[in-house]
């Protein structure tokens, strides 16, 4: 399977970096073709310009500022996201990726605004590996936007046909070496059996 891994964390020595490395390693060992998109390493610009916003609905010209990322998304059969949760949301870099790449003509068809149609129907599998500083109940109380974006919004953009899983390590602020090791092993197993 062609898997696009979208990784978002600025620190190469972080626990998220270790999780990302494990994700890529296990997917490759399982025989998948991996396109590893490290948003920070690639200096992705998360800011939508005035010109981009003005041309947002001009399909297909709206793709030009992020054409490489659009092409990579279209080539994928599966998506795996690896990121931390900050302020109960996506990191700004990843939010910018969603804003700039998941646009009309790419992620959805707005030609009939009353009946928006999904355009990521080629994506059959979605997974996420996510860390949270706070406990699960706090994320739940806040609505857990990252979980909903991955498990609901992205699934909607695939036409509802993709299988989605979400691996979360909550309460990183009090994580222990044992809890970190156990979660990494869980992620490793999930990626080794990714299908």
């Amino acid at each position: 399977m062609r898997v696009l891994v979208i990784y978002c964390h600025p620190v190469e020595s972080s626990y998220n970096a270790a999780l990302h490395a494990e994700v890529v390693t296990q997917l490759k060992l399982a025989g998948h073709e991996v396109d590893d998109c490290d948003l920070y390493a690639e200096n992705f610009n998360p800011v939508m310009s005035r010109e981009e916003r003005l041309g947002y609905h001009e399909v297909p010209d709206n793709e030009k500022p992020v054409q490489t990322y659009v092409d990579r998304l279209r080539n994928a059969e599966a998506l795996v996201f690896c990121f931390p949760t900050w302020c109960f949301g996506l990191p700004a870099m990843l939010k910018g990726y969603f804003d700039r790449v998941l646009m009309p003509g790419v992620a959805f068809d707005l030609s009939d605004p009353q009946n928006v149609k999904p355009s990521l129907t080629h994506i059959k599998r979605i997974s996420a590996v996510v860390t949270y500083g706070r406990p699960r109940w706090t994320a739940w109380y806040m609505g857990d936007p990252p979980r909903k974006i991955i498990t609901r919004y992205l699934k909607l953009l695939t036409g509802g046909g993709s299988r989605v899983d979400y691996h979360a390590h909550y309460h990183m602020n009090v994580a222990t070496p044992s809890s970190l090791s156990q979660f990494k092993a869980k992620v490793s197993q999930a990626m080794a059996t990714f299908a």
Side-chain angles (χ1 to χ4, degrees):
M1 192 180 313
R2 293 187 305 276
V3 183
L4 175 60
V5 174
I6 301 172
Y7 169 60
C8 185
H9 197 286
V11 182
E12 66 282 351
S13 58
S14 67
Y15 179 61
N16 273 266
L19 291 173
H20 167 241
E22 189 67 20
V23 164
V24 171
T25 297
Q26 292 303 324
L27 286 171
K28 287 182 177 178
L29 287 174
H32 299 290
E33 179 185 325
V34 178
D35 178 356
D36 187 13
C37 178
D38 181 338
L39 295 175
Y40 277 95
E42 295 183 16
N43 292 312
F44 178 78
N45 179 3
V47 179
M48 181 182 289
S49 70
R50 178 180 184 275
E51 292 74 24
E52 279 181 83
R53 184 57 202 160
L54 289 171
Y56 185 76
H57 296 94
E58 302 302 319
V59 178
D61 289 343
N62 59 348
E63 299 174 18
K64 290 178 183 175
V66 287
Q67 192 66 61
T68 301
Y69 292 96
V70 169
D71 293 344
R72 292 165 79 177
L73 179 59
R74 285 190 173 135
N75 184 57
E77 297 170 300
L79 303 173
V80 176
F81 294 87
C82 189
F83 62 92
T85 297
W86 290 336
C87 298
F88 297 103
L90 302 177
M93 181 79 77
L94 184 55
K95 179 63 167 68
Y97 174 91
F98 276 65
D99 291 344
R100 295 186 68 212
V101 179
L102 302 184
M103 67 179 93
V106 177
F108 49 90
D109 178 356
L110 264 180
S111 56
D112 176 3
Q114 292 290 346
N115 298 292
V116 178
K117 296 183 182 96
S119 295
L120 295 180
T121 53
H122 61 287
I123 301 294
K124 303 303 178 194
R125 189 76 170 78
I126 300 170
S127 186
V129 176
V130 188
T131 58
Y132 293 72
R134 304 290 293 279
R136 174 73 179 105
W137 75 265
T138 312
W140 174 83
Y141 178 75
M142 298 301 293
D144 205 346
R147 182 181 287 269
K148 288 178 180 173
I149 287 169
I150 300 296
T151 64
R152 296 182 188 183
Y153 181 59
L154 282 177
K155 186 176 178 95
L156 183 68
L157 294 178
T158 69
S162 62
R163 192 161 67 92
V164 182
D165 56 45
Y166 191 85
H167 309 283
H169 187 298
Y170 292 94
H171 221 179
M172 287 290 292
N173 293 330
V174 296
T176 63
S178 175
S179 71
L180 296 176
S181 178
Q182 287 175 15
F183 183 69
K184 188 176 176 188
K186 176 186 170 187
V187 168
S188 182
Q189 178 63 26
M191 295 302 117
T193 58
F194 189 81

